[in-house]
Amino acid sequence: MNTKKKIYLDYNATTPVDKRVVEEMLPYFTEMFGNASSDHFFGWDAEEGVKFAREQVSNLVYCKPTEITFTSGATEAANLALFGFCKKNSSKGKHIITCKTEHNAILDTMQALENEGFQITYLDVDAEGNIDLKELENDITAKTILVCLMLANNETGLIHPMKQIEKIVHSKGVKLMSDITQAVGKIPVDLKELNLDLAIFSSHKLYGPKGVGALYINKKNKVEVDQSVFGGGQEKGIRPGTLNVTGIVGFGKAAEIVFSEMKEESIRLSELRDKLEALLEEIEDIAINSKNSDRLPNTTNVSFENIDGNQLLRKLNNLAVSRGSACTSNLINPSHVLKAMGLSDELALSSIRISLGRNTTLADIKFAAEEIKNTVHQLKKAMV
């Protein structure tokens, strides 16, 4: 029987709901349980909860509450934004630019848009995962209506230079959308400063409940999206249906907490990540992916040469780490992100993502590094 402690190091996949968030949500299950659209005091209480949460979430990302539309998560928000925007603006052109290292929530939606007759350009990345800004500029044509690039990569933690990207895109008269899901709550995200036209993010990545997310639509830039889901007038008709009041209230509280604690937590996690990487680099034939670029403070992606990735993960049964995105981790395929960065299938399959979070301690880091060292040593010894 395995008596060793289990350590969760997959915070980019999801986070535990903060107890303070749970406490905020509880009354909305049994006491203030009304439908936020009902015209009586139960509905008014629910509506007030949603209104306050909208303010909390908008405060986190520095935008107006009216620019936030609540959804079931970032994936739904991506679909609403992309299909809604492209439908509204298809008369201006049907060309979209994105990147090969985007999350599948974006890439799969782009494929669906291709089936609808849109032309998609997928930007290449270098060995660190960075796009070529000149290539981006050159790929924008008179038919380009949207550029969609994530702020921070979910697998490597790499942060794109969004302000530079924004200047290029807007100078061409094109709109800019970003998946900011992994960045929000980990680093400051100021939507007003970034001047994004559309953005998507999710509650469960920042210690809030699953099943709730947000779509940001820039009012100042007069961005419009067509309705693509029908059945009610909730959320300005963009996302109709009975609101998940309890989840939204939790999202709001989680946003409030990360906003107040982010600066100190970011420094703490960055120090832990650097310590972890220093310990891991004592192992021969490993590489930290995207190490030389701007990254999220909590994320490490490491590749092990000549190691069977399946055996590595099975033997690391005291550590919750991942190969990459949780949305595709059940598929034994090499990471499309790492392949785009030039890694071979074999090396991509022997890579793991370690993402730290609020409950991660220095003791956890030391334990994890020792477990990984011992496991890699055992696997290499068995190969001799």
Side-chain angles (χ1 to χ4, degrees), residues 51-70 189-193 196 201 214-222 236:
K51 180 182 177 183
F52 185 54
R54 205 183 301 274
E55 292 171 356
Q56 292 170 308
V57 172
S58 63
N59 186 55
L60 173 62
V61 292
Y62 298 90
C63 71
K64 297 175 182 177
T66 53
E67 295 176 313
I68 294 293
T69 296
F70 287 119
V189 177
D190 187 333
L191 291 176
K192 192 178 295 184
E193 181 186 354
L196 300 175
F201 56 109
L215 165 60
Y216 162 77
I217 303 175
N218 190 324
K219 280 186 170 291
K220 179 176 69 71
N221 291 2
K222 297 178 180 177
K236 301 173 285 293

Side-chain angles (χ1 to χ4, degrees), residues 140-154:
I140 296 174
T141 73
K143 296 293 184 181
T144 307
I145 56 172
L146 184 69
V147 171
C148 182
L149 294 168
M150 69 197 327
L151 179 53
N153 190 274
N154 52 298

Side-chain angles (χ1 to χ4, degrees), residues 19-172:
K19 289 180 180 178
R20 293 166 289 181
V21 171
V22 174
E23 289 174 6
E24 193 81 4
M25 293 169 65
L26 284 176
Y28 289 87
F29 283 109
T30 56
E31 298 166 30
M32 294 179 285
F33 59 86
N35 187 322
S37 297
S38 295
D39 194 18
H40 49 63
F41 53 87
F42 283 97
W44 299 332
D45 282 345
E47 185 183 22
E48 279 299 310
V50 171
K51 180 182 177 183
F52 185 54
R54 205 183 301 274
E55 292 171 356
Q56 292 170 308
V57 172
S58 63
N59 186 55
L60 173 62
V61 292
Y62 298 90
C63 71
K64 297 175 182 177
T66 53
E67 295 176 313
I68 294 293
T69 296
F70 287 119
T71 68
S72 67
T75 298
E76 184 191 29
N79 278 263
L80 293 173
L82 287 169
F83 275 100
F85 180 85
C86 291
K87 182 180 176 183
K88 184 74 175 178
N89 295 277
S90 60
S91 62
K92 301 174 185 175
K94 302 190 81 172
H95 179 232
I96 306 167
I97 298 174
T98 188
C99 180
K100 292 180 178 178
T101 55
E102 292 290 309
H103 191 282
N104 279 318
I106 297 296
L107 294 178
D108 289 353
T109 309
M110 290 292 178
Q111 187 174 349
L113 284 167
E114 282 189 281
N115 296 336
E116 296 285 330
F118 286 85
Q119 179 195 353
I120 315 297
T121 295
Y122 297 90
L123 296 173
D124 290 316
V125 297
D126 63 18
E128 287 283 306
N130 292 293
I131 64 168
D132 184 332
L133 296 181
K134 198 66 183 175
E135 182 186 353
L136 166 64
E137 187 173 6
N138 291 338
D139 282 345
I140 296 174
T141 73
K143 296 293 184 181
T144 307
I145 56 172
L146 184 69
V147 171
C148 182
L149 294 168
M150 69 197 327
L151 179 53
N153 190 274
N154 52 298
E155 293 192 27
T156 64
L158 177 124
I159 299 171
H160 283 309
M162 196 55 65
K163 194 58 191 172
Q164 291 176 259
I165 291 168
E166 181 269 328
K167 288 179 180 177
I168 292 169
V169 173
H170 283 156
S171 72
K172 300 282 188 174

